[in-house]
Amino acid sequence: NGHATEVFSNWAIKYINDNSKLSSPFFMLLSYNAPHYPIQPPNEWYNKVKKREKSISDKRAKNVALVEHLDHEIGRVIETLKTTGEYDNTIIVFTSDNGGHIPSAASNGKLRGSKTEMYEGGIKVPTCLVWKNKIKPNSETYILGITMDLYPTILNLADVEINHVIDGVNIFQRIND
């Protein structure tokens, strides 16, 4: 029961709590469906956006509320990592699969195009990696990567050797080259 974003977070929190008691590393892939269509935020989040931003359209308010709700739920998961003592030894990757969907009132800033289009607004997505004491906070790079680069990058960060050919390159190696 509940909004899908909250249900996914609850499952993730349970998984972290269950696995933090083990002495071996664990892997979790948490793929929210927000902010994908249909844009259906919880009513209380929609109402909060409409109250705060009086002139916002209903369509845009729904999109903003869905993203803010997602941010809140990700925060709950990160807080669980901190309370279980797992945060300092966890690589957190946040990325998307496409640009914003303009018909759903998303914004891709100055980028041309939208989800389902082959312009930058459809295919260029932000990605961030967080790992306390290993990746400098607020650091940036403008090196382009692709989702398949995450696999060799994370294996490298975790000191796992790759002994076979794979698609993708270690993004950190490209930064240091």
Side-chain angles (χ1 to χ4, degrees):
N1 291 328
H3 192 276
T5 303
E6 294 165 1
V7 171
F8 292 178
S9 295
N10 291 339
W11 289 339
I13 289 167
K14 181 179 180 340
Y15 184 83
I16 293 166
N17 283 324
D18 291 348
N19 285 282
S20 68
K21 299 172 182 91
L22 305 175
S23 60
S24 60
F26 61 90
F27 174 82
M28 181 178 67
L29 175 66
L30 177 55
S31 295
Y32 291 99
N33 64 333
H36 284 83
Y37 189 83
I39 307 299
Q40 298 173 328
N43 287 334
E44 63 269 20
W45 287 86
Y46 171 77
N47 293 335
K48 182 169 40 170
V49 171
K50 288 296 281 188
K51 182 178 180 181
R52 182 183 70 223
E53 299 180 43
K54 306 272 190 248
S55 63
I56 194 170
S57 72
D58 289 345
K59 187 184 279 189
R60 179 72 180 152
K62 285 181 180 180
N63 200 305
V64 169
L66 194 62
V67 171
E68 287 183 4
H69 181 238
L70 174 64
D71 287 347
H72 171 80
E73 291 300 312
I74 292 169
R76 287 182 55 224
V77 173
I78 291 172
E79 189 58 37
T80 301
L81 288 168
K82 290 177 178 177
T83 59
T84 60
E86 295 294 335
Y87 182 76
D88 291 357
N89 195 33
T90 297
I91 301 169
I92 299 170
V93 179
F94 182 84
T95 192
S96 182
D97 60 346
N98 50 253
H101 188 241
I102 301 300
S104 296
S107 172
N108 292 323
K110 297 178 182 180
L111 301 179
R112 179 174 67 156
S114 173
K115 175 181 178 173
T116 74
E117 298 177 346
M118 294 305 292
Y119 299 112
E120 280 191 327
I123 60 174
K124 191 173 185 179
V125 298
T127 299
C128 69
L129 277 71
V130 176
W131 193 8
K132 188 175 178 187
N133 300 321
K134 303 285 184 171
I135 299 174
K136 183 181 173 187
N138 300 316
S139 57
E140 293 182 31
T141 181
Y142 293 95
I143 291 177
L144 294 178
I146 191 165
T147 305
M148 68 183 70
D149 293 338
L150 292 174
Y151 179 61
T153 301
I154 293 169
L155 290 179
N156 177 264
L157 290 173
D159 291 325
V160 175
E161 189 174 321
I162 303 170
N163 295 320
H164 58 282
V165 177
I166 60 169
D167 287 335
V169 297
N170 174 3
I171 294 170
F172 284 97
Q173 183 177 353
R174 291 177 57 204
I175 291 170
N176 295 322
D177 286 346

PDB file of all heavy atoms in Angstrom, residues 37-65:
ATOM      1  N   TYR A  37       6.007   8.976 -16.459  1.00  0.00           N
ATOM      2  CA  TYR A  37       4.567   9.055 -16.695  1.00  0.00           C
ATOM      3  C   TYR A  37       3.890   7.793 -16.169  1.00  0.00           C
ATOM      4  O   TYR A  37       4.482   6.725 -16.278  1.00  0.00           O
ATOM      5  CB  TYR A  37       4.324   9.203 -18.207  1.00  0.00           C
ATOM      6  CG  TYR A  37       2.893   9.505 -18.539  1.00  0.00           C
ATOM      7  CD1 TYR A  37       2.424  10.798 -18.467  1.00  0.00           C
ATOM      8  CD2 TYR A  37       2.020   8.494 -18.900  1.00  0.00           C
ATOM      9  CE1 TYR A  37       1.113  11.084 -18.757  1.00  0.00           C
ATOM     10  CE2 TYR A  37       0.707   8.773 -19.190  1.00  0.00           C
ATOM     11  CZ  TYR A  37       0.257  10.062 -19.118  1.00  0.00           C
ATOM     12  OH  TYR A  37      -1.040  10.349 -19.387  1.00  0.00           O
ATOM     13  N   PRO A  38       2.743   7.838 -15.565  1.00  0.00           N
ATOM     14  CA  PRO A  38       1.922   9.013 -15.338  1.00  0.00           C
ATOM     15  C   PRO A  38       2.444   9.835 -14.156  1.00  0.00           C
ATOM     16  O   PRO A  38       2.943   9.289 -13.177  1.00  0.00           O
ATOM     17  CB  PRO A  38       0.538   8.429 -15.033  1.00  0.00           C
ATOM     18  CG  PRO A  38       0.808   7.096 -14.420  1.00  0.00           C
ATOM     19  CD  PRO A  38       2.071   6.605 -15.074  1.00  0.00           C
ATOM     20  N   ILE A  39       2.322  11.134 -14.283  1.00  0.00           N
ATOM     21  CA  ILE A  39       2.811  12.054 -13.257  1.00  0.00           C
ATOM     22  C   ILE A  39       1.734  12.148 -12.176  1.00  0.00           C
ATOM     23  O   ILE A  39       0.764  12.893 -12.310  1.00  0.00           O
ATOM     24  CB  ILE A  39       3.131  13.431 -13.863  1.00  0.00           C
ATOM     25  CG1 ILE A  39       4.082  13.298 -15.067  1.00  0.00           C
ATOM     26  CG2 ILE A  39       3.700  14.365 -12.802  1.00  0.00           C
ATOM     27  CD1 ILE A  39       5.430  12.682 -14.744  1.00  0.00           C
ATOM     28  N   GLN A  40       1.917  11.354 -11.121  1.00  0.00           N
ATOM     29  CA  GLN A  40       0.915  11.276 -10.050  1.00  0.00           C
ATOM     30  C   GLN A  40       1.590  11.380  -8.682  1.00  0.00           C
ATOM     31  O   GLN A  40       1.843  10.374  -8.026  1.00  0.00           O
ATOM     32  CB  GLN A  40       0.149   9.952 -10.147  1.00  0.00           C
ATOM     33  CG  GLN A  40      -0.622   9.802 -11.434  1.00  0.00           C
ATOM     34  CD  GLN A  40      -1.239   8.421 -11.578  1.00  0.00           C
ATOM     35  OE1 GLN A  40      -0.690   7.425 -11.113  1.00  0.00           O
ATOM     36  NE2 GLN A  40      -2.376   8.372 -12.238  1.00  0.00           N
ATOM     37  N   PRO A  41       1.866  12.604  -8.251  1.00  0.00           N
ATOM     38  CA  PRO A  41       2.469  12.763  -6.926  1.00  0.00           C
ATOM     39  C   PRO A  41       1.422  12.549  -5.840  1.00  0.00           C
ATOM     40  O   PRO A  41       0.221  12.651  -6.092  1.00  0.00           O
ATOM     41  CB  PRO A  41       2.929  14.217  -6.939  1.00  0.00           C
ATOM     42  CG  PRO A  41       1.936  14.904  -7.815  1.00  0.00           C
ATOM     43  CD  PRO A  41       1.611  13.900  -8.904  1.00  0.00           C
ATOM     44  N   PRO A  42       1.864  12.266  -4.618  1.00  0.00           N
ATOM     45  CA  PRO A  42       0.915  12.241  -3.503  1.00  0.00           C
ATOM     46  C   PRO A  42       0.252  13.615  -3.363  1.00  0.00           C
ATOM     47  O   PRO A  42       0.895  14.649  -3.583  1.00  0.00           O
ATOM     48  CB  PRO A  42       1.779  11.927  -2.281  1.00  0.00           C
ATOM     49  CG  PRO A  42       3.015  11.295  -2.833  1.00  0.00           C
ATOM     50  CD  PRO A  42       3.226  11.931  -4.176  1.00  0.00           C
ATOM     51  N   ASN A  43      -1.008  13.625  -3.016  1.00  0.00           N
ATOM     52  CA  ASN A  43      -1.761  14.881  -2.916  1.00  0.00           C
ATOM     53  C   ASN A  43      -1.110  15.902  -2.000  1.00  0.00           C
ATOM     54  O   ASN A  43      -1.098  17.098  -2.303  1.00  0.00           O
ATOM     55  CB  ASN A  43      -3.195  14.610  -2.458  1.00  0.00           C
ATOM     56  CG  ASN A  43      -4.033  13.991  -3.550  1.00  0.00           C
ATOM     57  OD1 ASN A  43      -3.764  14.172  -4.736  1.00  0.00           O
ATOM     58  ND2 ASN A  43      -5.050  13.241  -3.158  1.00  0.00           N
ATOM     59  N   GLU A  44      -0.585  15.443  -0.850  1.00  0.00           N
ATOM     60  CA  GLU A  44       0.008  16.412   0.078  1.00  0.00           C
ATOM     61  C   GLU A  44       1.224  17.103  -0.525  1.00  0.00           C
ATOM     62  O   GLU A  44       1.486  18.284  -0.243  1.00  0.00           O
ATOM     63  CB  GLU A  44       0.343  15.772   1.427  1.00  0.00           C
ATOM     64  CG  GLU A  44       1.378  14.676   1.378  1.00  0.00           C
ATOM     65  CD  GLU A  44       0.815  13.266   1.178  1.00  0.00           C
ATOM     66  OE1 GLU A  44      -0.319  13.118   0.704  1.00  0.00           O
ATOM     67  OE2 GLU A  44       1.545  12.302   1.488  1.00  0.00           O
ATOM     68  N   TRP A  45       1.975  16.436  -1.386  1.00  0.00           N
ATOM     69  CA  TRP A  45       3.128  17.051  -2.043  1.00  0.00           C
ATOM     70  C   TRP A  45       2.666  18.024  -3.123  1.00  0.00           C
ATOM     71  O   TRP A  45       3.228  19.109  -3.270  1.00  0.00           O
ATOM     72  CB  TRP A  45       4.067  15.983  -2.601  1.00  0.00           C
ATOM     73  CG  TRP A  45       4.807  15.294  -1.504  1.00  0.00           C
ATOM     74  CD1 TRP A  45       4.377  14.214  -0.778  1.00  0.00           C
ATOM     75  CD2 TRP A  45       6.064  15.669  -0.965  1.00  0.00           C
ATOM     76  NE1 TRP A  45       5.311  13.892   0.178  1.00  0.00           N
ATOM     77  CE2 TRP A  45       6.362  14.770   0.079  1.00  0.00           C
ATOM     78  CE3 TRP A  45       6.979  16.664  -1.269  1.00  0.00           C
ATOM     79  CZ2 TRP A  45       7.539  14.847   0.818  1.00  0.00           C
ATOM     80  CZ3 TRP A  45       8.146  16.734  -0.538  1.00  0.00           C
ATOM     81  CH2 TRP A  45       8.413  15.825   0.500  1.00  0.00           C
ATOM     82  N   TYR A  46       1.649  17.646  -3.874  1.00  0.00           N
ATOM     83  CA  TYR A  46       1.076  18.546  -4.876  1.00  0.00           C
ATOM     84  C   TYR A  46       0.544  19.811  -4.209  1.00  0.00           C
ATOM     85  O   TYR A  46       0.829  20.926  -4.658  1.00  0.00           O
ATOM     86  CB  TYR A  46      -0.036  17.819  -5.640  1.00  0.00           C
ATOM     87  CG  TYR A  46      -0.842  18.714  -6.535  1.00  0.00           C
ATOM     88  CD1 TYR A  46      -0.337  19.130  -7.766  1.00  0.00           C
ATOM     89  CD2 TYR A  46      -2.101  19.164  -6.156  1.00  0.00           C
ATOM     90  CE1 TYR A  46      -1.074  19.964  -8.593  1.00  0.00           C
ATOM     91  CE2 TYR A  46      -2.839  20.002  -6.973  1.00  0.00           C
ATOM     92  CZ  TYR A  46      -2.322  20.398  -8.188  1.00  0.00           C
ATOM     93  OH  TYR A  46      -3.058  21.223  -8.999  1.00  0.00           O
ATOM     94  N   ASN A  47      -0.207  19.654  -3.126  1.00  0.00           N
ATOM     95  CA  ASN A  47      -0.774  20.808  -2.425  1.00  0.00           C
ATOM     96  C   ASN A  47       0.317  21.721  -1.875  1.00  0.00           C
ATOM     97  O   ASN A  47       0.171  22.946  -1.883  1.00  0.00           O
ATOM     98  CB  ASN A  47      -1.709  20.346  -1.300  1.00  0.00           C
ATOM     99  CG  ASN A  47      -2.953  19.670  -1.836  1.00  0.00           C
ATOM    100  OD1 ASN A  47      -3.365  19.915  -2.969  1.00  0.00           O
ATOM    101  ND2 ASN A  47      -3.548  18.799  -1.030  1.00  0.00           N
ATOM    102  N   LYS A  48       1.406  21.139  -1.404  1.00  0.00           N
ATOM    103  CA  LYS A  48       2.517  21.937  -0.877  1.00  0.00           C
ATOM    104  C   LYS A  48       3.129  22.805  -1.984  1.00  0.00           C
ATOM    105  O   LYS A  48       3.407  23.992  -1.767  1.00  0.00           O
ATOM    106  CB  LYS A  48       3.578  21.009  -0.269  1.00  0.00           C
ATOM    107  CG  LYS A  48       4.742  21.742   0.348  1.00  0.00           C
ATOM    108  CD  LYS A  48       5.685  20.895   1.190  1.00  0.00           C
ATOM    109  CE  LYS A  48       6.020  19.542   0.692  1.00  0.00           C
ATOM    110  NZ  LYS A  48       7.106  18.905   1.431  1.00  0.00           N
ATOM    111  N   VAL A  49       3.295  22.237  -3.176  1.00  0.00           N
ATOM    112  CA  VAL A  49       3.855  22.997  -4.293  1.00  0.00           C
ATOM    113  C   VAL A  49       2.897  24.106  -4.717  1.00  0.00           C
ATOM    114  O   VAL A  49       3.307  25.247  -4.932  1.00  0.00           O
ATOM    115  CB  VAL A  49       4.190  22.070  -5.483  1.00  0.00           C
ATOM    116  CG1 VAL A  49       4.553  22.875  -6.729  1.00  0.00           C
ATOM    117  CG2 VAL A  49       5.331  21.128  -5.113  1.00  0.00           C
ATOM    118  N   LYS A  50       1.616  23.797  -4.818  1.00  0.00           N
ATOM    119  CA  LYS A  50       0.629  24.803  -5.234  1.00  0.00           C
ATOM    120  C   LYS A  50       0.542  25.946  -4.217  1.00  0.00           C
ATOM    121  O   LYS A  50       0.376  27.103  -4.591  1.00  0.00           O
ATOM    122  CB  LYS A  50      -0.755  24.162  -5.423  1.00  0.00           C
ATOM    123  CG  LYS A  50      -0.875  23.285  -6.639  1.00  0.00           C
ATOM    124  CD  LYS A  50      -0.704  24.051  -7.945  1.00  0.00           C
ATOM    125  CE  LYS A  50      -1.975  24.799  -8.319  1.00  0.00           C
ATOM    126  NZ  LYS A  50      -1.907  25.403  -9.666  1.00  0.00           N
ATOM    127  N   LYS A  51       0.665  25.630  -2.945  1.00  0.00           N
ATOM    128  CA  LYS A  51       0.621  26.662  -1.905  1.00  0.00           C
ATOM    129  C   LYS A  51       1.860  27.558  -1.978  1.00  0.00           C
ATOM    130  O   LYS A  51       1.774  28.766  -1.815  1.00  0.00           O
ATOM    131  CB  LYS A  51       0.525  25.995  -0.529  1.00  0.00           C
ATOM    132  CG  LYS A  51       0.430  26.968   0.613  1.00  0.00           C
ATOM    133  CD  LYS A  51       0.290  26.249   1.938  1.00  0.00           C
ATOM    134  CE  LYS A  51       0.191  27.245   3.084  1.00  0.00           C
ATOM    135  NZ  LYS A  51       0.082  26.586   4.379  1.00  0.00           N
ATOM    136  N   ARG A  52       3.001  26.960  -2.224  1.00  0.00           N
ATOM    137  CA  ARG A  52       4.267  27.693  -2.267  1.00  0.00           C
ATOM    138  C   ARG A  52       4.412  28.520  -3.549  1.00  0.00           C
ATOM    139  O   ARG A  52       4.956  29.616  -3.520  1.00  0.00           O
ATOM    140  CB  ARG A  52       5.422  26.693  -2.159  1.00  0.00           C
ATOM    141  CG  ARG A  52       6.792  27.320  -2.135  1.00  0.00           C
ATOM    142  CD  ARG A  52       7.896  26.283  -2.106  1.00  0.00           C
ATOM    143  NE  ARG A  52       7.968  25.585  -3.396  1.00  0.00           N
ATOM    144  CZ  ARG A  52       8.128  24.274  -3.515  1.00  0.00           C
ATOM    145  NH1 ARG A  52       8.219  23.495  -2.465  1.00  0.00           N
ATOM    146  NH2 ARG A  52       8.186  23.721  -4.709  1.00  0.00           N
ATOM    147  N   GLU A  53       3.953  27.968  -4.664  1.00  0.00           N
ATOM    148  CA  GLU A  53       4.124  28.619  -5.964  1.00  0.00           C
ATOM    149  C   GLU A  53       2.749  28.877  -6.570  1.00  0.00           C
ATOM    150  O   GLU A  53       2.252  28.089  -7.369  1.00  0.00           O
ATOM    151  CB  GLU A  53       4.976  27.745  -6.881  1.00  0.00           C
ATOM    152  CG  GLU A  53       6.366  27.508  -6.332  1.00  0.00           C
ATOM    153  CD  GLU A  53       7.233  26.647  -7.233  1.00  0.00           C
ATOM    154  OE1 GLU A  53       7.209  26.856  -8.460  1.00  0.00           O
ATOM    155  OE2 GLU A  53       7.915  25.765  -6.703  1.00  0.00           O
ATOM    156  N   LYS A  54       2.164  29.983  -6.202  1.00  0.00           N
ATOM    157  CA  LYS A  54       0.775  30.303  -6.554  1.00  0.00           C
ATOM    158  C   LYS A  54       0.503  30.329  -8.060  1.00  0.00           C
ATOM    159  O   LYS A  54      -0.562  29.940  -8.507  1.00  0.00           O
ATOM    160  CB  LYS A  54       0.382  31.655  -5.956  1.00  0.00           C
ATOM    161  CG  LYS A  54       0.604  31.757  -4.456  1.00  0.00           C
ATOM    162  CD  LYS A  54      -0.586  31.287  -3.687  1.00  0.00           C
ATOM    163  CE  LYS A  54      -0.440  31.625  -2.214  1.00  0.00           C
ATOM    164  NZ  LYS A  54      -0.280  30.481  -1.378  1.00  0.00           N
ATOM    165  N   SER A  55       1.455  30.767  -8.867  1.00  0.00           N
ATOM    166  CA  SER A  55       1.203  30.928 -10.298  1.00  0.00           C
ATOM    167  C   SER A  55       1.591  29.711 -11.144  1.00  0.00           C
ATOM    168  O   SER A  55       1.456  29.737 -12.357  1.00  0.00           O
ATOM    169  CB  SER A  55       1.935  32.167 -10.817  1.00  0.00           C
ATOM    170  OG  SER A  55       3.327  32.002 -10.676  1.00  0.00           O
ATOM    171  N   ILE A  56       2.043  28.651 -10.512  1.00  0.00           N
ATOM    172  CA  ILE A  56       2.487  27.474 -11.256  1.00  0.00           C
ATOM    173  C   ILE A  56       1.273  26.744 -11.851  1.00  0.00           C
ATOM    174  O   ILE A  56       0.208  26.684 -11.240  1.00  0.00           O
ATOM    175  CB  ILE A  56       3.317  26.537 -10.340  1.00  0.00           C
ATOM    176  CG1 ILE A  56       4.078  25.499 -11.150  1.00  0.00           C
ATOM    177  CG2 ILE A  56       2.434  25.883  -9.284  1.00  0.00           C
ATOM    178  CD1 ILE A  56       5.098  24.721 -10.321  1.00  0.00           C
ATOM    179  N   SER A  57       1.439  26.213 -13.062  1.00  0.00           N
ATOM    180  CA  SER A  57       0.345  25.465 -13.686  1.00  0.00           C
ATOM    181  C   SER A  57       0.144  24.145 -12.940  1.00  0.00           C
ATOM    182  O   SER A  57       1.064  23.637 -12.280  1.00  0.00           O
ATOM    183  CB  SER A  57       0.655  25.178 -15.153  1.00  0.00           C
ATOM    184  OG  SER A  57       1.671  24.206 -15.261  1.00  0.00           O
ATOM    185  N   ASP A  58      -1.029  23.584 -13.064  1.00  0.00           N
ATOM    186  CA  ASP A  58      -1.311  22.302 -12.410  1.00  0.00           C
ATOM    187  C   ASP A  58      -0.374  21.213 -12.922  1.00  0.00           C
ATOM    188  O   ASP A  58       0.137  20.401 -12.146  1.00  0.00           O
ATOM    189  CB  ASP A  58      -2.770  21.883 -12.634  1.00  0.00           C
ATOM    190  CG  ASP A  58      -3.751  22.745 -11.865  1.00  0.00           C
ATOM    191  OD1 ASP A  58      -3.329  23.473 -10.942  1.00  0.00           O
ATOM    192  OD2 ASP A  58      -4.947  22.695 -12.190  1.00  0.00           O
ATOM    193  N   LYS A  59      -0.132  21.199 -14.222  1.00  0.00           N
ATOM    194  CA  LYS A  59       0.732  20.176 -14.818  1.00  0.00           C
ATOM    195  C   LYS A  59       2.152  20.284 -14.276  1.00  0.00           C
ATOM    196  O   LYS A  59       2.756  19.297 -13.881  1.00  0.00           O
ATOM    197  CB  LYS A  59       0.730  20.315 -16.338  1.00  0.00           C
ATOM    198  CG  LYS A  59       1.467  19.188 -17.041  1.00  0.00           C
ATOM    199  CD  LYS A  59       1.531  19.417 -18.544  1.00  0.00           C
ATOM    200  CE  LYS A  59       0.243  18.996 -19.193  1.00  0.00           C
ATOM    201  NZ  LYS A  59       0.333  18.987 -20.669  1.00  0.00           N
ATOM    202  N   ARG A  60       2.678  21.511 -14.232  1.00  0.00           N
ATOM    203  CA  ARG A  60       4.037  21.727 -13.711  1.00  0.00           C
ATOM    204  C   ARG A  60       4.089  21.425 -12.219  1.00  0.00           C
ATOM    205  O   ARG A  60       5.061  20.821 -11.733  1.00  0.00           O
ATOM    206  CB  ARG A  60       4.487  23.172 -13.985  1.00  0.00           C
ATOM    207  CG  ARG A  60       5.861  23.506 -13.459  1.00  0.00           C
ATOM    208  CD  ARG A  60       6.969  22.855 -14.241  1.00  0.00           C
ATOM    209  NE  ARG A  60       8.260  23.219 -13.668  1.00  0.00           N
ATOM    210  CZ  ARG A  60       9.335  22.479 -13.721  1.00  0.00           C
ATOM    211  NH1 ARG A  60       9.313  21.326 -14.356  1.00  0.00           N
ATOM    212  NH2 ARG A  60      10.449  22.870 -13.159  1.00  0.00           N
ATOM    213  N   ALA A  61       3.060  21.789 -11.482  1.00  0.00           N
ATOM    214  CA  ALA A  61       3.022  21.516 -10.043  1.00  0.00           C
ATOM    215  C   ALA A  61       3.082  20.013  -9.782  1.00  0.00           C
ATOM    216  O   ALA A  61       3.752  19.565  -8.847  1.00  0.00           O
ATOM    217  CB  ALA A  61       1.771  22.119  -9.423  1.00  0.00           C
ATOM    218  N   LYS A  62       2.406  19.236 -10.580  1.00  0.00           N
ATOM    219  CA  LYS A  62       2.445  17.777 -10.407  1.00  0.00           C
ATOM    220  C   LYS A  62       3.857  17.249 -10.630  1.00  0.00           C
ATOM    221  O   LYS A  62       4.343  16.410  -9.871  1.00  0.00           O
ATOM    222  CB  LYS A  62       1.465  17.099 -11.367  1.00  0.00           C
ATOM    223  CG  LYS A  62       0.027  17.239 -10.961  1.00  0.00           C
ATOM    224  CD  LYS A  62      -0.875  16.517 -11.947  1.00  0.00           C
ATOM    225  CE  LYS A  62      -2.325  16.659 -11.527  1.00  0.00           C
ATOM    226  NZ  LYS A  62      -3.235  15.970 -12.461  1.00  0.00           N
ATOM    227  N   ASN A  63       4.526  17.745 -11.672  1.00  0.00           N
ATOM    228  CA  ASN A  63       5.876  17.282 -11.962  1.00  0.00           C
ATOM    229  C   ASN A  63       6.839  17.679 -10.850  1.00  0.00           C
ATOM    230  O   ASN A  63       7.631  16.864 -10.376  1.00  0.00           O
ATOM    231  CB  ASN A  63       6.339  17.842 -13.313  1.00  0.00           C
ATOM    232  CG  ASN A  63       7.478  17.055 -13.902  1.00  0.00           C
ATOM    233  OD1 ASN A  63       8.499  16.868 -13.257  1.00  0.00           O
ATOM    234  ND2 ASN A  63       7.309  16.600 -15.126  1.00  0.00           N
ATOM    235  N   VAL A  64       6.755  18.934 -10.418  1.00  0.00           N
ATOM    236  CA  VAL A  64       7.621  19.416  -9.336  1.00  0.00           C
ATOM    237  C   VAL A  64       7.361  18.617  -8.061  1.00  0.00           C
ATOM    238  O   VAL A  64       8.299  18.192  -7.373  1.00  0.00           O
ATOM    239  CB  VAL A  64       7.404  20.931  -9.095  1.00  0.00           C
ATOM    240  CG1 VAL A  64       8.077  21.398  -7.809  1.00  0.00           C
ATOM    241  CG2 VAL A  64       7.907  21.735 -10.291  1.00  0.00           C
ATOM    242  N   ALA A  65       6.098  18.386  -7.741  1.00  0.00           N
ATOM    243  CA  ALA A  65       5.753  17.637  -6.528  1.00  0.00           C
ATOM    244  C   ALA A  65       6.285  16.211  -6.591  1.00  0.00           C
ATOM    245  O   ALA A  65       6.789  15.679  -5.589  1.00  0.00           O
ATOM    246  CB  ALA A  65       4.240  17.635  -6.328  1.00  0.00           C
TER     247      ALA A  65
END
